[in-house]
Amino acid sequence: MYKMMTPGPTMVAENVRSARSIETGNPDLDLDFYDFYKETCELYSGLLDTKNESLILSGEGILGLEAAVASVTEPGDRVLVLDNGVFGKGFADFVSIYGGEPVLYTTDYKKEIEAEPLREYLERDSDFKYATIVHCDTPSGMLNNISVICPLLKEYGILTVVDSVSGMFGNEVKVDEWGIDILCGGSQKTISCPIGLTLVTISEDAKRAMENRKTKIASFYANLLTFQHYYENKWFPYTMPVSDIYGLRQALENIKEDPDILKRHAQIAAKTREALTRAGLKLYAQNGYSNTVTVFTIPGGVKTADILKAMREEHNIMLAGSFDILAGEVIRIGHMGYNCTEENMKETLTALDAVLRKLGVELKSSVEFI
């Protein structure tokens, strides 16, 4: 098994794997499981500093993004899509699928979205039902400052839908304080659970927007309203993946018992960036660095595939390339959740140094985690 130092999925702790192996019953009929599910959702909300209701959905993180858009969008709704990355732009596809009119606010893909130019734009046009923003755009490692952007959007009466699948728990998130209406997360990133679950928090403003629609939500599986009163009625809209949720609960408990998780991510991310730049490698982004993934551009004369292959076959470490406009241009190193340790990063960067030198890359100094 490779050491997966990718920006998700991550490696998984033994106690999470053990939790997933517990014998399960029928979640539709087991009344105790409704309590377990609700308590797990409340634990997740608490870790994100919100009193908003959270839901766990059976499906990879993309399900949460689509469910957010499907549940809020009505035909003809103008939606502001904040676009400074591949995933940021991708929200426009979901908006179009559900009949909305995506309006792209496109900025430099190598820089975080700046508040003042956005404010100037909103002064000219703020007629949007909601806005989408990606907290950490994983293909480039770009981190947007949602602590500033979301309150700004709310000033103009615009609902906020945030993709923090790769951002949360490695970077600070305060849902209520920052005015986030729908926040989307995923199990396989910093939460360090296997792939298969998406998590959403939903504000009262977002619920009202869903409940006051003039048209029905054009989906069942991606309809967040299907969970209404699930606890009181003891009725899930579909059979819940019990083992996955048992593992998620343990992973969330691990986060709860790790008070230095944000500090550790910040320190390891900074040291990783320093190691790469000290060696003469160039980071893709000019600012807005996420604490969960570091992305550097490929040195001249070598290919992404050659680096990735050598890391896997010679050092048993899996890194990631990227896709879309970044395909073949960058390497992504994940340092999130269970992967985010000094031991893992020292091993990874030592191996990367050896691979680059073998491929003929001239480095200013060793790619060394100090």
Side-chain angles (χ1 to χ4, degrees):
M1 181 66 183
Y2 299 120
K3 181 186 287 287
M4 293 192 300
M5 297 302 292
T6 59
T10 62
M11 295 180 290
V12 177
E14 182 60 35
N15 64 353
V16 174
R17 287 195 292 271
S18 296
R20 286 166 51 82
S21 70
I22 296 172
E23 185 176 1
T24 64
N26 185 328
D28 294 321
L29 302 177
D30 181 0
L31 298 183
D32 288 339
F33 181 74
Y34 287 90
D35 289 324
F36 185 86
Y37 176 93
K38 183 172 182 288
E39 290 164 3
T40 303
C41 291
E42 290 170 347
L43 172 59
Y44 176 72
S45 290
L47 292 171
L48 293 169
D49 290 323
T50 182
K51 296 179 181 178
N52 292 343
E53 181 180 23
S54 291
L55 298 172
I56 303 164
L57 312 181
S58 179
E60 193 272 340
I62 291 293
L63 173 60
L65 310 184
E66 181 168 353
V69 173
S71 299
V72 178
T73 309
E74 293 195 76
D77 283 342
R78 297 181 78 239
V79 179
L80 182 62
V81 176
L82 301 186
D83 164 32
N84 68 328
V86 174
F87 284 174
K89 183 177 183 179
F91 260 117
D93 294 333
F94 288 135
V95 173
S96 296
I97 287 170
Y98 290 99
E101 178 191 338
V103 178
L104 269 66
Y105 176 83
T106 302
T107 63
D108 191 334
Y109 275 31
K110 292 188 176 184
K111 296 180 181 180
E112 64 183 291
I113 293 173
E114 298 178 357
E116 284 312 306
L118 177 58
R119 181 184 292 277
E120 292 172 6
Y121 177 88
L122 293 172
E123 282 295 315
R124 299 191 300 271
D125 183 4
S126 60
D127 183 22
F128 302 103
K129 185 174 187 179
Y130 67 93
T132 63
I133 182 168
V134 176
H135 187 199
C136 171
D137 207 295
T138 328
S140 64
M142 175 58 62
L143 188 77
N144 287 309
N145 189 353
I146 56 175
S147 71
V148 173
I149 294 171
C150 289
L152 172 59
L153 292 164
K154 294 291 282 186
E155 283 182 33
Y156 290 84
I158 301 169
L159 295 172
T160 57
V161 173
V162 176
D163 167 6
S164 188
V165 173
S166 296
M168 62 175 59
F169 301 124
N171 303 280
E172 188 174 41
V173 177
K174 294 186 176 182
V175 174
D176 291 352
E177 182 178 330
W178 298 348
I180 301 172
D181 289 298
I182 301 181
L183 180 78
C184 302
S187 59
Q188 78 273 25
K189 303 289 185 174
T190 306
I191 293 175
S192 296
C193 223
I195 308 158
L197 298 176
T198 189
L199 305 97
V200 294
T201 66
I202 311 167
S203 73
E204 292 303 313
D205 285 348
K207 286 182 180 180
R208 279 191 290 272
M210 296 176 202
E211 293 166 354
N212 295 331
R213 295 171 56 107
K214 297 176 182 178
T215 58
K216 291 183 178 180
I217 295 172
S219 176
F220 177 81
Y221 208 71
N223 179 351
L224 296 175
L225 287 183
T226 59
F227 280 83
Q228 275 190 319
H229 311 300
Y230 78 87
Y231 184 73
E232 296 84 350
N233 296 336
K234 300 297 185 284
W235 185 262
F236 289 116
Y238 49 80
T239 302
M240 303 307 294
V242 183
S243 295
D244 290 345
I245 294 173
Y246 282 172
L248 174 67
R249 174 64 166 270
Q250 183 58 62
L252 293 175
E253 293 286 358
N254 290 348
I255 292 173
K256 182 180 179 181
E257 295 168 9
D258 186 3
D260 293 327
I261 187 169
L262 293 177
K263 180 180 179 180
R264 184 176 74 256
H265 277 78
Q267 290 176 339
I268 288 177
K271 288 184 178 181
T272 300
R273 294 193 296 269
E274 289 168 6
L276 295 172
T277 55
R278 187 170 54 245
L281 297 169
K282 185 178 180 181
L283 301 177
Y284 172 76
Q286 295 178 12
N287 60 23
Y289 305 113
S290 176
N291 292 332
T292 55
V293 54
T294 294
V295 182
F296 68 92
T297 58
I298 301 302
V302 297
K303 295 180 180 179
T304 303
D306 293 337
I307 298 173
L308 298 178
K309 181 180 179 182
M311 288 292 292
R312 287 195 312 270
E313 295 183 356
E314 299 172 20
H315 299 275
N316 206 43
I317 295 173
M318 182 176 285
L319 301 182
S322 197
F323 45 90
D324 201 273
I325 64 170
L326 293 177
E329 300 293 326
V330 300
I331 293 286
R332 299 183 293 158
I333 305 172
H335 34 76
M336 55 175 66
Y338 193 62
N339 290 9
C340 189
T341 67
E342 291 202 357
E343 180 182 1
N344 284 338
M345 289 312 303
K346 286 178 181 177
E347 180 182 353
T348 299
L349 295 184
T350 298
L352 179 63
D353 180 87
V355 166
L356 292 176
R357 290 181 187 278
K358 185 176 180 179
L359 291 173
V361 177
E362 295 185 7
L363 300 171
K364 291 182 179 180
S365 66
S366 296
V367 185
E368 186 179 3
F369 187 91
I370 301 175

